[in-house]
Amino acid sequence: MTVHPSLQPYADAATHSIEAIAELVKPLAEGEWNRRTPCPWWSVRDIVSHVIGMECEMLGDPRPIHTLPRDLYHVQSDFARYMEMQVDVRRHHTAPEMTSELEYVLIRRARHLRNESRAPETMVRAPLGAEQSLEVAYTMRAFDLWVHEQDLRTTLGQPGNLDSPGAHITRDVLLSALPKVVAKDAGAPANSAVVLDVHGPVEFLRTVRVDGEGRGSIDGSPSLGPAVTLSMDWETYVRLACGRVRPAAVADRIKAEGDQELATAILDHFAVTP
């Protein structure tokens, strides 16, 4: 590969996950493609359609010209409508059509990465006509692919790769959203701290600090007197932060110490993916 050195970890992680996805779905019978996944409203086929569609957009393909049905009641925003387009256009594709298109995308992806010479700061197309840097685009592809790989693994009963390269990128993406969750969404008081202690295949301890103006920041130093300490395993953290499960459903896997009202408010706003 010839991608920029700072992009290489993201390219490698994304490739690792999309190849795992291809292996997971390759042997599936036609009926298994309709199985529901933890990703709200999406089946196995829908997730693979999304993966294919987003990869095609990264490769510069034009978006499909397609009108969404009016009965997709879960599509409530422009962002959801944007994402659903690549999914709905493939909803009636057969298993062989899905696996063939995914395999072709993998071939095109490998060729594209071998020839990628753009700098990380190059601006590229983002959803809804926005722009983002190439580094952000690569980061978000690695994150998205790993999360959807885990969706499929949960559905198909094939756990794995909880500590793969994509898992560590996912950790960083999710943690970057935590100061807003604590300081703004949950309304943690000024000059307070909240500690998140996660164990399992990916382990870390982070402290969100809210300053006198109510702004949140995050670091790896422990707090001597946190308002709240939340402890949970890595898989539970991912499922909560990605909106795959509600806090009440995994209450037995979460330990909350300190201000219980604030802890509940944080957990109620824990999902940070659209």
Side-chain angles (χ1 to χ4, degrees):
M1 294 184 186
T2 58
V3 296
H4 191 279
S6 69
L7 298 178
Q8 193 72 57
Y10 304 112
D12 290 345
T15 299
H16 188 273
S17 287
I18 197 171
E19 288 179 349
I21 287 171
E23 288 297 313
L24 284 167
V25 302
K26 190 174 183 179
L28 297 184
E30 191 69 51
E32 292 180 286
W33 286 81
N34 298 321
R35 292 177 62 178
R36 292 191 64 174
T37 72
C39 184
W41 303 101
W42 279 1
S43 66
V44 170
R45 177 184 282 99
D46 294 342
I47 283 181
V48 177
S49 295
H50 168 73
V51 166
I52 292 170
M54 291 300 101
E55 288 299 312
C56 286
E57 292 192 24
M58 282 285 285
L59 292 166
D61 293 358
R63 282 173 54 76
I65 299 172
H66 179 71
T67 301
L68 291 176
R70 293 183 178 181
D71 60 351
L72 295 178
Y73 300 116
H74 63 283
V75 179
Q76 298 289 331
S77 67
D78 288 342
F79 185 82
R81 194 170 293 107
Y82 184 98
M83 290 300 172
E84 198 75 20
M85 192 76 75
Q86 294 279 11
V87 172
D88 192 69
V89 78
R90 295 175 173 83
R91 279 221 158 93
H92 300 292
H93 287 197
T94 64
E97 286 173 329
M98 295 297 297
T99 54
S100 294
E101 189 176 12
L102 183 57
E103 287 171 7
Y104 182 49
V105 164
L106 282 169
I107 293 168
R108 292 182 63 204
R109 184 179 213 284
R111 185 187 304 128
H112 176 81
L113 289 173
R114 282 196 300 271
N115 297 320
E116 178 64 88
S117 58
R118 293 173 292 178
E121 62 272 15
T122 303
M123 299 306 290
V124 297
R125 183 176 70 182
L128 296 175
E131 285 195 328
Q132 60 189 354
S133 72
L134 193 61
E135 185 165 9
V136 169
Y138 270 60
T139 302
M140 296 314 293
R141 285 311 299 137
F143 164 68
D144 191 58
L145 286 165
W146 184 84
V147 171
H148 287 313
E149 177 196 342
Q150 294 304 315
D151 286 333
L152 295 173
R153 288 187 177 281
T154 299
T155 300
L156 301 173
Q158 296 192 42
N161 285 348
L162 280 168
D163 60 350
S164 66
H168 294 272
I169 292 168
T170 295
R171 172 201 62 196
D172 294 342
V173 169
L174 295 177
L175 283 174
S176 69
L178 201 57
K180 177 180 177 292
V181 169
V182 171
K184 183 179 179 181
D185 300 337
N191 301 311
S192 65
V194 171
V195 171
L196 177 68
D197 187 2
V198 173
H199 56 274
V202 177
E203 291 190 347
F204 54 89
L205 186 145
R206 295 290 188 276
T207 301
V208 176
R209 303 180 194 278
V210 183
D211 66 16
E213 280 72 50
R215 292 186 296 262
S217 62
I218 190 168
D219 61 57
S221 303
S223 171
L224 295 178
V228 170
T229 298
L230 292 172
S231 304
M232 66 190 78
D233 64 273
W234 166 237
E235 193 171 2
T236 299
Y237 172 62
V238 169
R239 292 172 69 199
L240 280 171
C242 293
R244 273 30 179 187
V245 68
R246 296 291 300 160
V250 289
D252 59 324
R253 302 181 70 166
I254 304 168
K255 183 180 179 183
E257 298 176 290
D259 184 335
Q260 294 300 303
E261 188 174 337
L262 177 58
T264 299
I266 293 169
L267 290 170
D268 283 345
H269 292 90
F270 216 70
V272 296
T273 56

